[in-house]
Amino acid sequence: MQPERTVSIYSLPSREAVQALHRVELEVQDLEETLVDVMMQFDGRSLTPGQARTALSNVEARAQKLEVEGIDNVYTGELNSGKAQAKSDKKDLLKRLEDLYSVLEKSFREIKVAETAA
């Protein structure tokens, strides 16, 4: 998603939708980075299983809130000039969140295995 290149040709509602989705993209990127950081700290024994689980639960909660309030709240039905871009951006962001949830599930399982082995 690169709305800054094409935003100027959109109507105001389309521009606002594309910009809102760009802000969501930055938040999704932060969640992805936080997840990687938490698991690196857990693997390096800087975080206990409980601390890692709590941190990942926070990532999951933020992701769910972002999906509902950040992505689902951007309506594309009434858009014209930016409709295709906004729909594409929403689809990409939902896919990234789906991938994030998959990695979260895997990470929670890793933590549980580590706890069981300890």
Side-chain angles (χ1 to χ4, degrees):
M1 293 190 315
Q2 296 189 350
E4 48 278 350
R5 281 194 288 168
T6 55
V7 164
S8 61
I9 62 170
Y10 294 148
S11 65
L12 180 60
S14 292
R15 187 169 46 244
E16 288 173 345
V18 171
Q19 288 172 343
L21 291 168
H22 179 69
R23 286 189 297 274
V24 170
E25 179 186 20
L26 296 175
E27 292 183 57
V28 169
Q29 182 177 345
D30 181 57
L31 292 175
E32 292 165 338
E33 291 169 359
T34 300
L35 172 57
V36 169
D37 185 51
V38 167
M39 290 311 292
M40 285 178 57
Q41 289 183 50
F42 176 69
D43 291 341
R45 309 254 192 257
S46 297
L47 292 177
T48 66
Q51 291 169 323
R53 190 174 25 260
T54 298
L56 294 182
S57 293
N58 288 333
V59 169
E60 184 176 39
R62 286 176 51 204
Q64 290 169 343
K65 182 177 180 182
L66 189 59
E67 183 175 356
V68 172
E69 294 178 6
I71 299 172
D72 292 346
N73 271 352
V74 176
Y75 298 103
T76 59
E78 300 295 318
L79 302 180
N80 291 313
S81 59
K83 186 174 190 166
Q85 179 71 47
K87 286 180 88 167
S88 174
D89 290 353
K90 283 182 74 166
K91 183 178 177 182
D92 292 345
L93 287 167
L94 289 170
K95 173 69 171 114
R96 284 177 69 183
L97 283 179
E98 185 179 308
D99 293 344
L100 180 78
Y101 293 138
S102 293
V103 175
L104 278 166
E105 280 183 43
K106 178 180 171 279
S107 299
F108 282 124
R109 282 194 303 270
E110 281 182 39
I111 292 168
K112 187 172 185 122
V113 167
E115 280 182 310
T116 306

